[in-house]
Amino acid sequence: MVELKKFTREEVSRHTAEEDIWIIIDNVVYDMSKFIDMHPGGVFPILEYAGKDATEAFYGMHRQEVLLKYNRYKIGTLEGETAQITIRQPGDNSKVPYAEMSAFLGYKSPYYNDSHFRYQAGLRKICDELKAEAQECDSAGDRPSDEFAKKLGQHHLLAAHVGPGPWLHNIILPGNVPGKEYDYFHDMITHQEFARWGTSGLVAGLTGGMTISLPTILNYGKPALKEKLVPLLLSGEKRMSLAITEPYTGSDVASIRTNAKKVEGGYLVNGVKKWITTGRFANYFATAVKTEKGISMLLIERQDGVETKAIKTAYSPSAGTAYVTFENVFVPDANLLGVEDQGFRVVLSVNFNHERFMLIAQSVSAARNAVEECFKWAMQRKVFGKRLIEQPVIRNKLAKMIASVESCQTWTENIAYQMNHMNYAEQADKLAGPIGLLKYHATRMMHDVADDACQIFGGRALTKTGMGKYIEDLQRTYKFNAILGGSEEIMADLGVRQAIKKFPADARL
Ligand SMILES: Cc1cc2nc3c(=O)[nH]c(=O)nc-3n(C[C@H](O)[C@H](O)[C@H](O)COP(=O)(O)OP(=O)(O)OC[C@H]3O[C@@H](n4cnc5c(N)ncnc54)[C@H](O)[C@@H]3O)c2cc1C
Ligand code: HEM
């Protein structure tokens, strides 16, 4: 490592001319001479701090990552002074109270073991390293590249998204965790770590479509189909979507109209699907169709007659949200998932609990990230000569945010524990209702957190870059989790209806 030069404050104060201008941030000296004309904030703010300590002014207007990005202007440090501000390095957990799950901040927990801690540490590092690429892709609205998908595949993180199961059994996951150990706490960590990118569109496009659709093949695909496709999908070489919703029908799945007519050796499919996540980029579509006596699930490969058109949504086009049309598409019998006319069971049984669990984990993580952002911002932003945190109203908002996130996290952990200890039949019987209620609660919580976070950040909550970029993403996209995977109303209703079924006939006030 090259030893940085040491300067005194007096020495720095002599560099004040535009062509020879130094500033101090924390204990570091930056030479701004080559950067001043390119500075996005203009020449004047830098001139104002020429030769001076700009730490407080800097942190009032920039994220720390700016310093990492422009590290090349660093020329030395101050003699006899040590850093007062820690620059977060890739892989570091935050030390800010409530910025991490309590077990990861040193509190006791009955749920987590060494394997969970190792996995989180390994995954945090990978996610941090890929974060800049993810954020660039999301803000440009690009298709997540094959190379990027393959990087996730190499770390087995596409497989991890699908949840615990035999597809993980012979692999080693981040943190040196054998795939066989992967349980619903690891799974929760997976979805939470990816949500920290603040790129909900990109994450949906890269992993969302596959996570909700692949179980149809894993659990109901014929052996030859599984053998051929699963490795391609889990390595990131191919993409897949779940195509159920139609322009005519969303919540009411039984009313779909896409038709599959039985012909020799297969089916002829005609119809339209709407809102299909990853659809623009998908090679395969697990598709709900009407067959003679009910609904069936077919795996449809992209081919002539399959068209995908982008739907512009509030989140990034990197989600690949698509309108998908099937026109006289032939689908061989080998691509029937499960039993003809019993596709409804395939969809219901395979996906919904896990999809909802994923959306809950993402929601809690995005809200927790907002807590950290708001806490830091309130501590460093000065308005009317005081830090925001000195205003009781701001502390009150922060209190509400923290309490909401922590209570949702605790319920999520309880559900993860139940999922770990119940077989599939028991989960279907006992957990669909609570998971529905928790999803409803988590997205209502997100609504409140996004609202408070916007007020704490002010105008910066509405700009896509700079200080408020995570809050901007949250307030623009949190509604997605409230609609997809079962909307709030349907989730709340499901929870109560399931409870009514278990209501004892002899109970009275
Ligand atoms: C960005 C995005 C991505 C999506 N990705 C996919 C995907 O990959 N694959 C896929 O198949 N689908 C996908 N969907 C579809 C999603 O699952 C549906 O939007 C959702 O099921 C709701 O259907 P709908 O929008 O047609 O609303 P509708 O069913 O028309 O309902 C409209 C509103 O009325 C409420 N409502 C409906 N019925 C009741 C009731 N009985 N009681 C009280 N309130 C009710 C609902 O809560 C909703 O708020 C996606 C949607 C979006 C927006
Ligand atoms: C190492 C030194 C600096 C670097 C690398 C730097 C870089 C940047 C960058 C990249 C932005 C765009 C916004 C963002 O991405 O966050 C920005 C904005 C800005 N910078 Fe700097 N800057 C530096 C020092 C300073 C200093 C000392 C000041 C003095 C107060 C300053 C004032 C501003 C202002 C006012 C803006 C606009 C902020 C806004 O739009 O809200 N910068 N700077």
Side-chain angles (χ1 to χ4, degrees), residues 212 242-245 250-251 275-277 480 483-484 487 489-490:
I212 60 178
L242 181 71
I244 297 176
T245 309
S251 313
W275 305 120
I276 306 310
T277 302
F480 284 77
I483 304 277
L484 46 100
S487 65
E489 291 78 4
I490 300 288

Side-chain angles (χ1 to χ4, degrees), residues 210-278:
M210 191 210 61
T211 305
I212 60 178
S213 60
L214 187 58
T216 59
I217 302 185
L218 291 169
N219 295 297
Y220 289 95
K222 297 184 174 49
L225 197 70
K226 257 198 267 196
E227 217 169 286
K228 181 177 146 206
L229 296 187
V230 173
L232 294 174
L233 290 158
L234 292 184
S235 62
E237 279 169 67
K238 299 281 180 195
R239 322 265 174 115
M240 184 177 174
S241 284
L242 181 71
I244 297 176
T245 309
E246 300 185 351
Y248 327 100
T249 178
S251 313
D252 181 10
V253 177
S255 304
I256 58 160
R257 296 192 198 170
T258 297
N259 183 269
K261 191 169 162 232
K262 189 80 192 86
V263 292
E264 197 176 334
Y267 302 84
L268 212 52
V269 178
N270 282 285
V272 183
K273 297 287 176 183
K274 189 171 182 183
W275 305 120
I276 306 310
T277 302
T278 319

Side-chain angles (χ1 to χ4, degrees), residues 71 101 206 253 279 291-292 312 335 398 484 497-498 503:
N71 199 28
M101 292 185 280
L206 198 56
V253 177
T291 35
E292 211 182 330
K312 289 185 182 168
N335 287 22
L398 210 49
L484 46 100
R497 274 190 295 110
Q498 291 245 328
F503 194 90

Side-chain angles (χ1 to χ4, degrees), residues 367-416:
R368 186 181 289 288
N369 203 28
V371 166
E372 178 175 10
E373 294 282 305
C374 288
F375 208 165
K376 284 180 174 165
W377 177 243
M379 293 292 280
Q380 69 197 57
R381 175 70 172 171
K382 272 196 169 169
V383 184
F384 294 111
K386 278 184 181 171
R387 290 183 304 161
L388 278 180
I389 199 75
E390 290 171 59
Q391 305 288 352
V393 172
I394 299 294
R395 292 200 298 274
N396 191 273
K397 283 190 194 305
L398 210 49
K400 201 170 118 217
M401 291 169 74
I402 292 168
S404 314
V405 170
E406 290 301 329
S407 58
C408 260
Q409 176 80 54
T410 304
W411 193 359
T412 310
E413 289 172 349
N414 177 288
I415 293 285

